[in-house]
Structures are given as structure tokens and as C-alpha cells.
Amino acid sequence: MNRLEAKFKKLKSEGKKAFIPFITAGDPNLEVTKSLVLELEKRGADMVELGVPFSDPIADGPVIQKSSQRALKKRISLLKILELVRQLRQKTTIPLVLMGYYNPIFKFGEAEFVKRFSQVGLDGLIVADLPPEEANDLKKEADKNNLDTIFLLTPVSSEERIKLVSASSTGFIYCVSYTGITGDARKGEEDLKELIGKIRMLTSKPIGIGFGISSPQAAKKAASLADAVIVGSAIVKRIEKYRGNKNLLREVGTFAERLARAINVN
Amino acid sequence: MNYLPDKKGHFGQFGGKFVPETVMPALQELEEAYLQAKEDKNGFQAELQLYLSDYAGRPTPLYFAERLTHNLKGAKVYLKREDLAHTGAHKINNTLGQVLLAKKMGKTRIIAETGAGQHGVATATAAAVLGLPCQVYMGDEDIRRQKLNVSRMKLLGAEVIPVSSGSCTLKEAINEAMRDWVTNIRSTYYVLGSVVGPHPYPMMVRDFQSVIGKETRQQILAKEKKLPGYLLACVGGGSNSLGLFYPFLEDEVELIGIEAGGLGLSTYRHGATLARGSIGVLHGSKSYLLQDRNGQILFTHSVAPGLDYPGVGPEHSYLKESGRAKYYTVTDSQALEAFRWLSEIEGIIPALESAHAIAYLKKLAPGLKRDDIVIVNLSGRGDKDLEEVGNESPRGKV
Ligand SMILES: Cc1ncc(COP(=O)(O)O)c(C=O)c1O
């Protein structure tokens, strides 16, 4: 059993939901990212998603776009993130998931990527522009190395796609809250009950909800439907605001703690 | 070769659908609608045909360029006059097809990206005549250097949305259009302007643009009773070139695509994707790309905004790998020289994009025999470029 599966099992037995914060690796720099992961864990994160910056993040809104740009200015690459994961693994056993776009992984070499990242203790992978149809090679490698591959579903997914994505996903299934890009405050909430219900009929795998969850109230609502709640832009926005400020860890940590509490309050 | 792409949209190892999950159902819906429309000879195809002829002015002429031929002292040169199509470039062939399809699919809003502004104008035009609202994403730098086309789009009732990220050119305009599409996926039809993007776009845009090659084939056979030896076209995303090449793929005809050499291939300030790129994934498909060793996409440069792009259509990558087509580059200054040269010698002001093909013709034709035939796709007219060429020209000749 790998770390993601073990964590979801444990939370389930305790009647709890997972809180999964997202931060971009290398924003504002790798040292701070490392401290942030540890701080987030202390404040109640059950797993952490590390964003791999990409020059053309078409599924991201302005907040994460800018965050990626800041990280790229620091010349963050997969090799540096590999080292980050290795160092983090010496300090924590919290499940770590990378989220990014396909091209850097393709360029790195899929087999090489999976081999080296699973060696240093990465647990899962989300690739925003890689649907299951194009993921056969990557998935074969990932399965061999016990690295979870998390695919996404959205409010416009058909039953056929729900089947495909559920079957392809390991670790959990990522349910996108609305049709759109990350961190879109303009988006009204969609009714996810029906989608989640359909997914539950087809699989017992855990479901996480993410995109646009920006407050403890919204996190609480998502937690009532799913097994995990992912919060990205709202946290990254605070990193943007407090970067270079000595209170960065505390500010982000306090916000994370409010989210974590909201997710597991009954 | 004509059976490509396969069912999943692959041209050999290239192509595919590398998109956020939200877009997957829309691509399937689009593919189904397109394949149905393609077979609908009496409905969709007849309607499109009527728009192409009576509205867009097709067929465009295949013009024997006598002065050019004499001047080059080599092969016989013909120009396929896409500059004479309505709106002044080949882009209208694709946009009429796609906007008509959007309407059949019941979509209520049209979006597009544009670099040179020609695709934006052609989309705005098709949206106007078919009665749909239209928004066009365009990089700040391109808005600056293609002002005429910005005015035209506005006059045509479209809204031009400036994009100010990255290099502020075509790549970023596509990023923004894709984000819009993901967000408004239920109502919106995204009219992609070249043979790029996820399946079925590269196939569909190629099919719509193939009218160029089909006409050319008939026209040259009528005039010369034989096929040409060479076809020449500029390659940005690759739609005007593929549209010309496609009906000749099975023939013994040399296919030559010309990419933007910008300030020179050694400067890294160019758009020579096939000449200098490596394989990767951008904007939904696997193809050659200009990228760094970490897989980050590089900035490009070309005096021709329509060629200023780090990607290229997947079918071109396939044609390059299989050796069926050859790709070369032409620099900014060679293109600018060809821009003036064609204007003076034939009285035709070409788009800066098309001027790249003309510049290569100057290198190619003199080495060929008198009875060889070269056909150059004159993909667009150059009115849009006059101001920028004036800026680029210290002689101030324009
Ligand atoms: C006149 C003209 N030619 C060529 C191009 C390049 O596009 P493609 O390679 O898709 O034909 C453009 C694009 O804007 C254009 O406006």
C-alpha cells in the first residue's frame, strides 16, 4: 500500500476528509517551498500538491500563472524539484503529489521521470493536459513503480468518460468544481452532487474536489460531498502577498489551519 | 498517406489530444459534428461551397507570373492567389467552414486567436455573415504591429481582447483563447486558425484549406497539362501550406515549406520550429516545438506575425519525419526584400508571411529547368504590413 492509499484509509476509519493544499514549487524559492510544506503539514494538511511551473499553463488562472512565472524566473526545473522532494522526504512522510503539464515530463523522459521521482519518494502525479487516452506509456511506468496517477473529471464529463477516468485513476479522482481554469472567482458554483453521485456508482476510489475553493465555507461544503478538498489559488495568492515578508509562513499557515478545521468540522 | 490521422488523431507519433479534461467532451462533439458535416454533401458541403464561391470569391486564380519567371531565368512560376480571396488571405476558407459548423452545432458564441490579424478578421467576417457574436484574442505586440486588422475586426463587430502575457504574440493569444474555451465550453465554439491544436482541429482545418490544393491541381492541369515539379508555401502553424500540399501528397511533386528565420537561426530570435525544434507537446498536440532543455516553451521572433510561433501543425512534423516534405528558412531581411521585389515586379504586394515563400523562390527557381513548374502559395495580401515595413526599412521606401 502506498502513502496516498494508506492516508485515505486512515482518514476514512476516523471519519475524516483530506485537506490538500497546492503550492507552486519554487515560488518564491525552493527553500521557502520546503518550509511551507512542513508548515502546511503542521497546520493540518493531509497531503500536499506541488505545482511544477510551466511556461504556458492553459488550465490556470492569473494567480497560478503568475506564481509559475515567478518560479520560472528562479529557473525551477524538474531536476530541482526532484531534489526538493528528496530533501522533504528526509523530514516528513506526508504524501506528496506533483501537479503540472505534460511537456516538461515528456522532455525529461516519462520512464526516467517516474523512476527517479518514485525513488525519492513522490507518491502521485496529476498532469493537467494529459487525459487517459494519451497517458498509456506514462501510466504503465507509474503503475510499475507504485506512483499514483490522478486524472480529472468535470461537470461536463459523460458517463463514458467517468468510467474511463475512474478506471485510470489511482490514489484518488480529481473532480473539477466548474468548467474553467483555476482560481476563478467569477464562476458560480455548479451542482456537483449529481456528478459525484455518478462517480460513486462506478467506483469506490476516493474523490477530491478542487478549483476555485477560496474560503473555509467553500471548503466545508466541498468536504460534505467528497473525500478530499484541494485548495490552490487562494493559498498561492497569500504566498504572492507575503513573499519576502517574515510573516509568510505564519500567514499561510493560519489560513491553512482555518481551511483544515472547516473541512473536518461536523 | 491520405488516411491520416488515425482515429485518435495521430499522424504517426504526432498529434493527439493533450488538453484539460473539460475540453475532451467538446472535442468529441466537434469531431462527430465535423465528420457528419463532411459527408453531408447536399447540406453542409453545398452551403459551404456557396459561401466560398459567391461570398469569398473562390476559386482564386492561378496566375502565371511572367515577369517573375523572366527575371529568375529558371522554372516557370505560378502564383496561387489566396490574396484575392475575401478578407485578403487564405484564412477565410477555414473560418467559413468552422463558423458554419458552429452554427449547425447550436453554439451561440465564437472565439478565436490571431497573430497577423488575418485569422481574426476572417473569423470576425464569418461570424458577421452568419450572425454570431465574436471575440478575438490578440497579443499586445501584434495589436501594435497589425493595426489595420484590429480596426477591421472592430468594424466587423468583433471584440478584440488584448493579451499582455509572455511575448504578447500568437502563443499567448492561443493560451488565452483556450482558457476562455475551457471556461465557456458549453456555449462557445473556438475557431482555431491553423492546422494546430488537439484533434480534430489539425485534420479539420487541413480539410477546409485543401480547397487551395484541389483548385490548384485542376488549374495547373488545365493550363499546362501536367503537374508542377514544386509547391512552395510559408509555414506558421502550417495551414496555407498544408492546404496546398495535401491534394498532391500522392503525386511526384516536391513540397517545400518555408519557416521564419527571423534574425538568423544562430540568434535564437526566429520561428523555425521544424528546422530547429525538438518534439514536444504544446496547445493540445504533439509536434515539433521550440523549447528549452527543461521543456519550457521559448519566445520566438519573426517580422511576420503569422509565422511568429514556437509550434507547428502535427501533420507537418509527420511530413518532415517521413521526408515527404522539406522545410527551409528565410530571414526577416530576405522576406522584406522579397516583399518589395514582388510589389515592383508583379504589382502584387504580398503579406510578409507570404513574402517568405517568395524569398525562397528567388533561391530555388534560377537553378531549375525552363520547363519545370513552381507554384507558390501567395497566402495573403500585404496591406496590413505597410506601416510595419516602413518602420523596418531605414530607406523608408514604403
Ligand atoms: C497571410 C498569411 N499567411 C500565412 C500565415 C501563417 O499561417 P499558416 O501557416 O497556418 O498558413 C498567416 C497567419 O496569420 C497569414 O496571415
Side-chain angles (χ1 to χ4, degrees), chain A residues 53-58 60 65 72 77 102-103 106-107 128-129 131 133-134 152 154 156 161 179-180 187 190, chain B residues 10 16-22 24-25 171 175 179 182-183 186 278-281 286 291 293 295-297:
Chain A
F54 181 51
S55 52
D56 296 85
I58 54 163
D60 284 301
Q65 284 175 46
L72 287 176
S77 63
Y102 184 54
N103 197 51
F106 177 77
K107 190 75 181 165
D129 57 348
E133 282 91 334
E134 300 287 355
L152 300 93
T154 81
V156 289
R161 295 210 63 78
T179 61
K187 273 274 165 177
E190 302 225 17
Chain B
H10 294 125
K17 293 180 183 176
F18 296 85
V19 290
E21 180 60 34
T22 313
M24 290 300 283
K171 170 170 79 88
N175 288 347
R179 291 183 184 119
V182 171
T183 305
R186 292 183 176 100
S278 55
I279 298 171
V281 170
K286 189 181 285 180
Q291 57 182 327
R293 65 195 156 96
Q296 307 295 344
I297 312 306

Side-chain angles (χ1 to χ4, degrees), chain A residues 138 153 167 199 228 239 253 258:
Chain A
L138 184 64
L153 284 169
I199 304 172
I239 294 174
R258 285 173 58 214

Side-chain angles (χ1 to χ4, degrees), chain B residues 88-91 114-119 170 193-195 234-241 305-307 351 353-354 379-381 384:
Chain B
H90 68 292
K91 299 288 183 186
T114 197
Q118 284 302 134
H119 174 61
L170 182 55
S194 192
V195 287
C234 66
V235 179
S239 67
N240 86 86
S241 48
L307 309 183
E353 289 79 13
S354 323
S379 57
R381 54 189 289 158
K384 69 186 180 64

Side-chain angles (χ1 to χ4, degrees), chain A residues 22 75 86 90 100 113 135 159 166 176 180 192 198-199 254 260:
Chain A
F22 166 101
R75 308 199 155 272
R86 197 185 64 76
Q90 292 165 353
F113 171 88
E159 191 154 328
S166 308
V176 178
L192 290 178
K198 280 193 214 159
I199 304 172
T254 306

Side-chain angles (χ1 to χ4, degrees), chain A residues 5 33-34 88:
Chain A
E5 200 182 337
T33 301
K34 203 161 70 177
L88 277 168

